[in-house]
Amino acid sequence: MDFTFTDEQTMLRESVGRYLAKNYTFEDRQAIVGSDRPFSTEAWRAFADFGLLALPFPEDLDGLGGSVVDLVAVGELFGEHLVVEPYLSSILLAGRALAEFGERPRAEHWLGRLMAGEALAAFAHEEGAGTADPALVSARCTPTGGGYRLDGEKRLVLGGANTDVLVVTARVEGEPGGREGLALLVVEPGAPGVRITPFTTLDGRSAAHIVFDAVELSSDDCLTTDAHQAITRTLDDAIIALSAEAVGAMGVLLRQTAEYAVTRRQFGVPIGTFQTVAHRLADMKIAFTKARATLLYTAALAEAGRAGRREVSVLKAQVGRLGRTLAEAAVQTHGGIGMTDELPIGHYMKRLLAIDAMFGDSGYHYRVVGAGA
C-alpha cells in the first residue's frame, strides 16, 4: 500500500494550509467562536472556491469525485487549525447521505446547493445512545397513504440550529427492527411539528436537539426505506475524516508542548531536561505516531475498498484513546495555564474529547473489535 499523498493531494493541502495559516489563526478562530455567528461565512466561501464542498461527491453528481484519502489530507489541516465550519455536519454527513440517492429530485436539488455553498444541511441521526449504530434508531416514519408522518427525537444534531435542510433517519412503522425498514428523509427545519433547541458544544460548535411531532412529509421527501447500508458507508467515511482531524490536533499539541518544554525554565534549566517531562514527551510522540499510522493505514484500506466495520472501529478506538492520553499529557506539562482560554492547549483537548465521544467512544469501539465485527 502507498501511504504517501499524491501530487494533487499535496497541492491541495498546501493551498488550503496557506489559506488557514493566513486567515484562520487561533485568534481568528476565537473571534469566530466568541461572536454571534456559528462559523465564518468568509471561510465557508473560501472552502467552496477551493472545491472542498464538492470534493466528496461523485462526478456524475457534478462533484469532484474525491477519495477518502483526499478527505484525510484536508481533515488533518482542519484539526490543526480547530476549524469550526460545518464541513463534517453539512458535507460529510448530510451531504454524503444525500449523495447515496443523488438521482432523486429532492437529493439532487439540495446537493447542488450544498456544493455551491448556497445552503447548509444537518444529519439528524443519533438519539442519545452514545453511538451512531443504525440499529438503534427509534424515530418513527409512518406511511399515510400519500406520504409519511415523522415522530421522534434526535439528540446532538451537529449544525442543526443553522441548517436549511435536515436529513433524518427513522424506522418505518410496521417494519421489523435491524437492517430493514430504515428510512432516509428530507425535512425542512421550518415545517410544522419540528422543534429545534440550539446549544453550543464543549468544543465551541453549534448543535441542537430536535423533536419531530407528527411532521407531515410527501412521498418525495422519503429518499429510501432501506437506508442501512448507505448510512453505514456515510458514517464510516465520516469517522475516518474525523479521525484525521483528531490526528491534526494531536500534532499541534505535540509540537507546542515540545516547544514549551524547551523555553519554560525551572531551577535555571528548561523543564524538558527533567526526566519525567522528557519521558512524557516521548510518550506523546509515540501516541501521535501510532494514531497517524493507524489513520493512514485505514484510509488506504478504505480507498482500496477493504475497510470493514472492524478496521474503522480500530481507528476510532485508537484515535480516541491516544488523543485523550496525548492531550492530558500536554495540559500536565503546561500546568494551570494549559486550561486557560487564552492558550490553545485546552481548546485542542476539548476538541479531542468531543471527537472521542462522537459516533461511539473508544470503549465502545474496542468492544466492537473484541466482538469480532
Side-chain angles (χ1 to χ4, degrees):
M1 290 183 181
D2 185 0
F3 293 99
T4 60
F5 292 120
T6 65
D7 291 341
E8 291 81 3
Q9 289 163 348
T10 299
M11 289 173 61
L12 177 64
R13 279 171 61 91
E14 290 174 349
S15 298
V16 176
R18 282 194 298 269
Y19 170 82
L20 292 174
K22 181 178 179 181
N23 301 283
Y24 215 98
T25 65
F26 176 69
E27 291 73 22
D28 294 328
R29 187 261 186 192
Q30 289 303 91
I32 295 170
V33 172
S35 71
D36 57 357
R37 300 181 302 170
F39 64 92
S40 167
T41 54
E42 293 82 4
W44 196 247
R45 283 197 298 269
F47 294 168
D49 293 339
F50 280 118
L52 299 183
L53 305 190
L55 181 64
F57 303 118
E59 293 180 3
D60 59 4
L61 297 177
D62 295 327
L64 296 181
S67 68
V68 67
V69 178
D70 294 322
L71 300 179
V72 167
V74 174
E76 285 188 314
L77 297 175
F78 283 2
E80 290 176 9
H81 292 270
L82 291 176
V83 169
V84 298
E85 279 59 45
Y87 194 74
L88 175 70
S89 59
S90 186
I91 303 300
L92 299 185
L93 288 172
R96 290 292 291 273
L98 288 171
E100 290 279 346
F101 307 95
E103 75 284 355
R104 307 291 175 86
R106 292 280 278 157
E108 183 181 21
H109 166 76
W110 285 110
L111 271 176
R113 296 193 64 193
L114 292 182
M115 287 188 282
E118 298 172 353
L120 296 173
F123 189 54
H125 174 61
E126 294 193 56
E127 299 179 358
T131 168
D133 187 347
L136 299 179
V137 171
S138 63
R140 302 184 308 282
C141 174
T142 308
T144 59
Y148 298 89
R149 188 186 73 241
L150 174 62
D151 296 275
E153 183 176 1
K154 299 294 183 176
R155 314 287 292 178
L156 192 60
V157 179
L158 298 173
N162 314 99
T163 186
D164 298 293
V165 64
L166 294 163
V167 181
V168 186
T169 59
R171 189 72 55 193
V172 179
E173 189 75 10
E175 295 287 339
R179 297 191 176 187
E180 300 296 325
L182 189 61
L184 194 67
L185 308 164
V186 177
V187 182
E188 304 281 347
V194 179
R195 299 199 305 273
I196 299 176
T197 303
F199 61 93
T200 301
T201 61
L202 168 74
D203 54 335
R205 269 71 173 174
S206 173
H209 296 322
I210 303 179
V211 174
F212 302 97
D213 185 8
V215 179
E216 297 294 335
L217 303 172
S218 71
S219 58
D220 289 340
D221 293 325
C222 181
L223 301 180
T224 181
T225 57
D226 187 17
H228 188 281
Q229 292 298 327
I231 292 168
T232 299
R233 286 191 292 268
T234 297
L235 291 173
D236 284 351
D237 283 353
I239 286 174
I240 295 173
L242 188 64
S243 297
E245 188 179 336
V247 169
M250 291 170 67
V252 174
L253 278 178
L254 174 61
R255 183 174 67 252
Q256 292 187 357
T257 304
E259 292 171 354
Y260 181 78
V262 172
T263 57
R264 177 73 169 92
R265 302 176 69 87
Q266 283 186 352
F267 309 110
V269 297
I271 63 172
T273 62
F274 300 155
Q275 190 176 54
T276 300
V277 176
H279 286 177
R280 186 183 300 146
L281 288 170
D283 290 340
M284 290 174 66
K285 186 171 184 179
I286 290 171
F288 170 73
T289 302
K290 289 172 64 176
R292 191 163 195 266
T294 307
L295 168 67
L296 296 179
Y297 177 69
T298 308
L301 285 176
E303 189 163 36
R306 293 168 51 193
R309 188 185 182 198
R310 184 181 187 278
E311 287 73 26
V312 174
S313 284
V314 167
L315 171 64
K316 185 64 164 63
Q318 284 284 79
V319 167
R321 180 179 64 84
L322 295 170
R324 178 186 289 267
T325 298
L326 188 148
E328 290 173 349
V331 170
Q332 244 185 341
T333 304
H334 281 81
I337 63 170
M339 289 303 294
T340 60
D341 279 345
E342 292 74 20
L343 207 66
I345 302 301
H347 296 276
Y348 282 103
M349 181 178 189
K350 290 176 183 177
R351 183 56 179 161
L352 286 168
L353 293 177
I355 289 174
D356 181 32
M358 293 169 61
F359 310 129
D361 64 10
S362 56
Y364 165 78
H365 283 282
Y366 278 127
R367 290 193 294 273
V368 170
V369 175

Short mmCIF file of all heavy atoms in Angstrom, two decimals, residues 86 88-90 93-94 121-128 152-163 165-169 189 194-201 205-212 358-359:
data_model
loop_
_atom_site.label_atom_id
_atom_site.label_comp_id
_atom_site.label_asym_id
_atom_site.label_seq_id
_atom_site.Cartn_x
_atom_site.Cartn_y
_atom_site.Cartn_z
N PRO A 86 -19.04 24.02 9.41
CA PRO A 86 -19.82 22.77 9.46
C PRO A 86 -19.51 21.79 8.33
O PRO A 86 -20.42 21.26 7.68
CB PRO A 86 -21.26 23.28 9.38
CG PRO A 86 -21.17 24.52 8.57
CD PRO A 86 -19.86 25.16 8.95
N LEU A 88 -18.09 18.78 8.52
CA LEU A 88 -18.49 17.42 8.90
C LEU A 88 -20.00 17.26 8.81
O LEU A 88 -20.49 16.32 8.19
CB LEU A 88 -18.00 17.10 10.32
CG LEU A 88 -18.46 15.76 10.89
CD1 LEU A 88 -17.79 14.60 10.17
CD2 LEU A 88 -18.19 15.69 12.39
N SER A 89 -20.73 18.17 9.43
CA SER A 89 -22.19 18.02 9.51
C SER A 89 -22.88 18.21 8.18
O SER A 89 -23.75 17.42 7.79
CB SER A 89 -22.75 19.00 10.54
OG SER A 89 -22.44 20.35 10.20
N SER A 90 -22.49 19.23 7.43
CA SER A 90 -23.20 19.57 6.20
C SER A 90 -22.74 18.77 5.00
O SER A 90 -23.56 18.31 4.19
CB SER A 90 -23.05 21.07 5.90
OG SER A 90 -23.84 21.46 4.80
N LEU A 93 -21.58 14.34 6.36
CA LEU A 93 -22.68 13.53 6.90
C LEU A 93 -23.95 13.71 6.06
O LEU A 93 -24.33 12.83 5.31
CB LEU A 93 -22.94 13.90 8.36
CG LEU A 93 -21.87 13.43 9.35
CD1 LEU A 93 -22.12 14.01 10.74
CD2 LEU A 93 -21.84 11.91 9.43
N ALA A 94 -24.59 14.87 6.16
CA ALA A 94 -25.84 15.09 5.43
C ALA A 94 -25.62 15.01 3.93
O ALA A 94 -26.38 14.35 3.20
CB ALA A 94 -26.44 16.43 5.83
N ALA A 121 -26.78 21.76 5.34
CA ALA A 121 -27.60 20.61 5.72
C ALA A 121 -27.10 20.06 7.05
O ALA A 121 -25.95 20.30 7.45
CB ALA A 121 -27.57 19.53 4.64
N ALA A 122 -27.96 19.33 7.75
CA ALA A 122 -27.57 18.68 9.00
C ALA A 122 -28.11 17.25 9.00
O ALA A 122 -29.20 16.99 8.46
CB ALA A 122 -28.10 19.45 10.20
N PHE A 123 -27.37 16.35 9.59
CA PHE A 123 -27.71 14.93 9.62
C PHE A 123 -28.30 14.59 10.98
O PHE A 123 -27.58 14.52 11.98
CB PHE A 123 -26.45 14.10 9.35
CG PHE A 123 -26.69 12.64 9.14
CD1 PHE A 123 -27.59 12.20 8.19
CD2 PHE A 123 -25.99 11.70 9.89
CE1 PHE A 123 -27.79 10.84 7.99
CE2 PHE A 123 -26.18 10.35 9.69
CZ PHE A 123 -27.08 9.91 8.73
N ALA A 124 -29.62 14.39 11.03
CA ALA A 124 -30.32 14.10 12.28
C ALA A 124 -30.43 12.59 12.42
O ALA A 124 -31.34 11.96 11.85
CB ALA A 124 -31.69 14.76 12.29
N HIS A 125 -29.51 11.99 13.17
CA HIS A 125 -29.43 10.53 13.23
C HIS A 125 -29.35 10.00 14.66
O HIS A 125 -30.17 9.16 15.06
CB HIS A 125 -28.21 10.06 12.42
CG HIS A 125 -27.94 8.60 12.52
ND1 HIS A 125 -28.85 7.64 12.10
CD2 HIS A 125 -26.86 7.91 13.01
CE1 HIS A 125 -28.34 6.43 12.32
NE2 HIS A 125 -27.14 6.58 12.86
N GLU A 126 -28.38 10.46 15.44
CA GLU A 126 -28.19 9.91 16.78
C GLU A 126 -29.33 10.33 17.70
O GLU A 126 -29.90 11.41 17.58
CB GLU A 126 -26.84 10.37 17.36
CG GLU A 126 -25.65 9.81 16.61
CD GLU A 126 -24.34 10.01 17.37
OE1 GLU A 126 -24.28 9.56 18.53
OE2 GLU A 126 -23.43 10.62 16.81
N GLU A 127 -29.62 9.44 18.67
CA GLU A 127 -30.76 9.69 19.55
C GLU A 127 -30.39 9.62 21.03
O GLU A 127 -31.24 9.40 21.88
CB GLU A 127 -31.87 8.69 19.23
CG GLU A 127 -32.36 8.82 17.79
CD GLU A 127 -33.46 7.82 17.44
OE1 GLU A 127 -33.82 7.01 18.31
OE2 GLU A 127 -33.96 7.89 16.31
N GLY A 128 -29.11 9.79 21.33
CA GLY A 128 -28.69 9.85 22.73
C GLY A 128 -28.14 8.56 23.29
O GLY A 128 -27.88 8.47 24.48
N GLY A 152 -40.51 11.55 16.62
CA GLY A 152 -39.32 11.12 17.33
C GLY A 152 -38.45 12.28 17.73
O GLY A 152 -38.82 13.45 17.56
N GLU A 153 -37.28 11.96 18.28
CA GLU A 153 -36.37 12.99 18.77
C GLU A 153 -34.94 12.61 18.39
O GLU A 153 -34.55 11.45 18.50
CB GLU A 153 -36.49 13.14 20.29
CG GLU A 153 -35.63 14.24 20.87
CD GLU A 153 -35.85 14.43 22.36
OE1 GLU A 153 -36.66 13.68 22.93
OE2 GLU A 153 -35.20 15.32 22.95
N LYS A 154 -34.18 13.59 17.96
CA LYS A 154 -32.78 13.42 17.62
C LYS A 154 -31.95 14.31 18.54
O LYS A 154 -32.27 15.47 18.76
CB LYS A 154 -32.51 13.78 16.16
CG LYS A 154 -33.28 12.90 15.16
CD LYS A 154 -32.81 11.46 15.19
CE LYS A 154 -33.54 10.62 14.15
NZ LYS A 154 -33.04 9.24 14.09
N ARG A 155 -30.86 13.73 19.07
CA ARG A 155 -30.01 14.44 20.02
C ARG A 155 -28.69 14.81 19.38
O ARG A 155 -28.17 14.09 18.53
CB ARG A 155 -29.75 13.57 21.26
CG ARG A 155 -30.98 12.88 21.83
CD ARG A 155 -31.89 13.85 22.54
NE ARG A 155 -31.28 14.36 23.76
CZ ARG A 155 -31.85 15.27 24.56
NH1 ARG A 155 -33.04 15.76 24.24
NH2 ARG A 155 -31.25 15.69 25.66
N LEU A 156 -28.13 15.94 19.81
CA LEU A 156 -26.81 16.38 19.37
C LEU A 156 -26.70 16.36 17.84
O LEU A 156 -25.85 15.69 17.26
CB LEU A 156 -25.71 15.52 20.00
CG LEU A 156 -24.27 16.04 19.84
CD1 LEU A 156 -24.12 17.41 20.47
CD2 LEU A 156 -23.27 15.08 20.46
N VAL A 157 -27.60 17.09 17.20
CA VAL A 157 -27.55 17.22 15.75
C VAL A 157 -26.56 18.34 15.41
O VAL A 157 -26.85 19.52 15.63
CB VAL A 157 -28.94 17.53 15.17
CG1 VAL A 157 -28.85 17.68 13.65
CG2 VAL A 157 -29.94 16.44 15.55
N LEU A 158 -25.39 17.98 14.93
CA LEU A 158 -24.37 18.97 14.61
C LEU A 158 -24.88 19.90 13.50
O LEU A 158 -25.36 19.45 12.46
CB LEU A 158 -23.09 18.29 14.16
CG LEU A 158 -22.41 17.39 15.19
CD1 LEU A 158 -21.24 16.65 14.56
CD2 LEU A 158 -21.95 18.18 16.39
N GLY A 159 -24.77 21.20 13.73
CA GLY A 159 -25.25 22.17 12.76
C GLY A 159 -26.75 22.25 12.65
O GLY A 159 -27.28 22.92 11.75
N GLY A 160 -27.47 21.60 13.56
CA GLY A 160 -28.92 21.53 13.46
C GLY A 160 -29.64 22.83 13.70
O GLY A 160 -30.80 22.98 13.32
N ALA A 161 -28.97 23.79 14.34
CA ALA A 161 -29.62 25.07 14.64
C ALA A 161 -29.45 26.08 13.51
O ALA A 161 -30.08 27.14 13.54
CB ALA A 161 -29.06 25.64 15.94
N ASN A 162 -28.62 25.76 12.53
CA ASN A 162 -28.30 26.73 11.47
C ASN A 162 -28.36 26.06 10.11
O ASN A 162 -27.51 26.30 9.25
CB ASN A 162 -26.91 27.33 11.69
CG ASN A 162 -26.68 27.76 13.12
OD1 ASN A 162 -26.06 27.04 13.89
ND2 ASN A 162 -27.19 28.93 13.48
N THR A 163 -29.38 25.26 9.89
CA THR A 163 -29.44 24.47 8.67
C THR A 163 -30.61 24.87 7.80
O THR A 163 -31.62 25.39 8.29
CB THR A 163 -29.54 22.97 9.02
OG1 THR A 163 -29.45 22.19 7.83
CG2 THR A 163 -30.86 22.65 9.72
N VAL A 165 -31.78 22.45 5.59
CA VAL A 165 -32.49 21.20 5.39
C VAL A 165 -31.94 20.15 6.36
O VAL A 165 -30.75 20.18 6.70
CB VAL A 165 -32.36 20.71 3.93
CG1 VAL A 165 -30.91 20.38 3.59
CG2 VAL A 165 -33.27 19.53 3.65
N LEU A 166 -32.81 19.27 6.81
CA LEU A 166 -32.42 18.17 7.69
C LEU A 166 -32.52 16.86 6.93
O LEU A 166 -33.51 16.61 6.23
CB LEU A 166 -33.33 18.12 8.91
CG LEU A 166 -33.25 19.30 9.88
CD1 LEU A 166 -34.47 19.31 10.80
CD2 LEU A 166 -31.97 19.22 10.71
N VAL A 167 -31.50 16.03 7.06
CA VAL A 167 -31.54 14.67 6.52
C VAL A 167 -31.72 13.75 7.72
O VAL A 167 -30.84 13.65 8.58
CB VAL A 167 -30.25 14.34 5.75
CG1 VAL A 167 -30.32 12.93 5.19
CG2 VAL A 167 -30.03 15.35 4.63
N VAL A 168 -32.87 13.09 7.80
CA VAL A 168 -33.30 12.42 9.03
C VAL A 168 -33.42 10.91 8.80
O VAL A 168 -33.94 10.47 7.76
CB VAL A 168 -34.67 12.97 9.50
CG1 VAL A 168 -35.05 12.37 10.85
CG2 VAL A 168 -34.63 14.49 9.59
N THR A 169 -32.95 10.14 9.76
CA THR A 169 -33.15 8.69 9.73
C THR A 169 -34.32 8.33 10.64
O THR A 169 -34.49 8.92 11.71
CB THR A 169 -31.89 7.95 10.20
OG1 THR A 169 -31.56 8.35 11.54
CG2 THR A 169 -30.72 8.24 9.29
N PRO A 189 -36.50 22.43 8.15
CA PRO A 189 -36.49 22.75 9.58
C PRO A 189 -37.65 23.62 10.03
O PRO A 189 -38.00 23.62 11.21
CB PRO A 189 -35.15 23.47 9.78
CG PRO A 189 -34.76 23.94 8.42
CD PRO A 189 -35.31 22.95 7.45
N VAL A 194 -41.78 20.55 13.79
CA VAL A 194 -40.34 20.46 14.04
C VAL A 194 -39.96 21.48 15.11
O VAL A 194 -40.17 22.68 14.93
CB VAL A 194 -39.53 20.73 12.75
CG1 VAL A 194 -38.03 20.66 13.04
CG2 VAL A 194 -39.90 19.73 11.66
N ARG A 195 -39.41 21.01 16.22
CA ARG A 195 -38.98 21.89 17.31
C ARG A 195 -37.48 21.73 17.52
O ARG A 195 -36.98 20.62 17.76
CB ARG A 195 -39.72 21.57 18.61
CG ARG A 195 -41.23 21.75 18.49
CD ARG A 195 -41.87 21.86 19.88
NE ARG A 195 -41.55 20.74 20.74
CZ ARG A 195 -42.24 19.61 20.78
NH1 ARG A 195 -43.29 19.44 19.98
NH2 ARG A 195 -41.89 18.64 21.60
N ILE A 196 -36.75 22.84 17.41
CA ILE A 196 -35.29 22.84 17.47
C ILE A 196 -34.83 23.59 18.72
O ILE A 196 -35.21 24.74 18.94
CB ILE A 196 -34.69 23.48 16.21
CG1 ILE A 196 -35.12 22.69 14.97
CG2 ILE A 196 -33.17 23.55 16.31
CD1 ILE A 196 -34.66 23.29 13.67
N THR A 197 -34.00 22.92 19.53
CA THR A 197 -33.42 23.54 20.72
C THR A 197 -31.91 23.68 20.50
O THR A 197 -31.18 22.69 20.58
CB THR A 197 -33.68 22.70 21.97
OG1 THR A 197 -35.08 22.50 22.13
CG2 THR A 197 -33.12 23.39 23.21
N PRO A 198 -31.42 24.89 20.20
CA PRO A 198 -29.99 25.05 19.88
C PRO A 198 -29.13 25.11 21.14
O PRO A 198 -29.59 25.49 22.22
CB PRO A 198 -29.97 26.38 19.13
CG PRO A 198 -31.12 27.15 19.69
CD PRO A 198 -32.18 26.14 20.04
N PHE A 199 -27.87 24.76 20.99
CA PHE A 199 -26.89 24.90 22.06
C PHE A 199 -25.49 24.85 21.45
O PHE A 199 -25.32 24.54 20.26
CB PHE A 199 -27.05 23.83 23.13
CG PHE A 199 -26.86 22.42 22.63
CD1 PHE A 199 -25.62 21.80 22.69
CD2 PHE A 199 -27.93 21.71 22.11
CE1 PHE A 199 -25.44 20.50 22.24
CE2 PHE A 199 -27.77 20.41 21.64
CZ PHE A 199 -26.53 19.81 21.71
N THR A 200 -24.49 25.16 22.26
CA THR A 200 -23.10 25.13 21.82
C THR A 200 -22.40 23.97 22.52
O THR A 200 -22.53 23.79 23.73
CB THR A 200 -22.38 26.45 22.15
OG1 THR A 200 -23.07 27.53 21.50
CG2 THR A 200 -20.95 26.42 21.67
N THR A 201 -21.63 23.19 21.78
CA THR A 201 -20.96 22.04 22.34
C THR A 201 -19.71 22.45 23.14
O THR A 201 -19.28 23.60 23.09
CB THR A 201 -20.53 21.06 21.23
OG1 THR A 201 -19.62 21.73 20.35
CG2 THR A 201 -21.74 20.60 20.44
N ARG A 205 -18.79 24.23 18.95
CA ARG A 205 -19.58 24.02 17.74
C ARG A 205 -21.06 24.26 18.01
O ARG A 205 -21.54 24.09 19.12
CB ARG A 205 -19.40 22.60 17.21
CG ARG A 205 -18.30 22.43 16.19
CD ARG A 205 -16.94 22.55 16.79
NE ARG A 205 -15.89 22.22 15.80
CZ ARG A 205 -14.61 22.35 16.02
NH1 ARG A 205 -14.18 22.81 17.18
NH2 ARG A 205 -13.73 22.05 15.10
N SER A 206 -21.78 24.59 16.95
CA SER A 206 -23.22 24.77 17.03
C SER A 206 -23.91 23.43 16.84
O SER A 206 -23.57 22.66 15.93
CB SER A 206 -23.70 25.76 15.95
OG SER A 206 -25.11 25.83 15.91
N ALA A 207 -24.89 23.14 17.70
CA ALA A 207 -25.63 21.88 17.61
C ALA A 207 -27.05 22.12 18.11
O ALA A 207 -27.40 23.22 18.53
CB ALA A 207 -24.94 20.78 18.42
N ALA A 208 -27.87 21.06 18.07
CA ALA A 208 -29.26 21.21 18.51
C ALA A 208 -29.85 19.86 18.84
O ALA A 208 -29.43 18.82 18.30
CB ALA A 208 -30.09 21.90 17.42
N HIS A 209 -30.84 19.88 19.75
CA HIS A 209 -31.74 18.74 19.93
C HIS A 209 -32.99 19.06 19.11
O HIS A 209 -33.48 20.19 19.13
CB HIS A 209 -32.11 18.55 21.39
CG HIS A 209 -30.95 18.21 22.28
ND1 HIS A 209 -29.94 17.38 21.88
CD2 HIS A 209 -30.67 18.58 23.55
CE1 HIS A 209 -29.06 17.25 22.86
NE2 HIS A 209 -29.47 17.97 23.88
N ILE A 210 -33.52 18.06 18.41
CA ILE A 210 -34.64 18.30 17.52
C ILE A 210 -35.76 17.29 17.78
O ILE A 210 -35.50 16.08 17.83
CB ILE A 210 -34.22 18.23 16.04
CG1 ILE A 210 -33.09 19.24 15.76
CG2 ILE A 210 -35.41 18.51 15.12
CD1 ILE A 210 -32.59 19.22 14.33
N VAL A 211 -36.97 17.80 17.95
CA VAL A 211 -38.15 16.96 18.15
C VAL A 211 -39.02 17.03 16.90
O VAL A 211 -39.26 18.13 16.37
CB VAL A 211 -38.95 17.42 19.38
CG1 VAL A 211 -40.26 16.63 19.50
CG2 VAL A 211 -38.12 17.26 20.66
N PHE A 212 -39.47 15.87 16.44
CA PHE A 212 -40.40 15.79 15.31
C PHE A 212 -41.73 15.28 15.85
O PHE A 212 -41.83 14.14 16.31
CB PHE A 212 -39.85 14.85 14.23
CG PHE A 212 -38.50 15.25 13.70
CD1 PHE A 212 -37.34 14.66 14.20
CD2 PHE A 212 -38.38 16.22 12.72
CE1 PHE A 212 -36.09 15.02 13.73
CE2 PHE A 212 -37.14 16.58 12.23
CZ PHE A 212 -35.98 15.99 12.74
N MET A 358 -17.94 11.28 19.86
CA MET A 358 -18.82 11.21 18.69
C MET A 358 -18.79 9.83 18.04
O MET A 358 -17.74 9.19 17.96
CB MET A 358 -18.41 12.27 17.66
CG MET A 358 -18.66 13.70 18.13
SD MET A 358 -17.89 14.93 17.05
CE MET A 358 -18.74 14.56 15.51
N PHE A 359 -19.96 9.36 17.60
CA PHE A 359 -20.11 8.09 16.89
C PHE A 359 -19.63 6.90 17.72
O PHE A 359 -19.19 5.89 17.16
CB PHE A 359 -19.35 8.11 15.55
CG PHE A 359 -19.63 9.30 14.70
CD1 PHE A 359 -18.59 10.07 14.17
CD2 PHE A 359 -20.92 9.69 14.41
CE1 PHE A 359 -18.86 11.17 13.37
CE2 PHE A 359 -21.19 10.80 13.62
CZ PHE A 359 -20.16 11.54 13.10
#
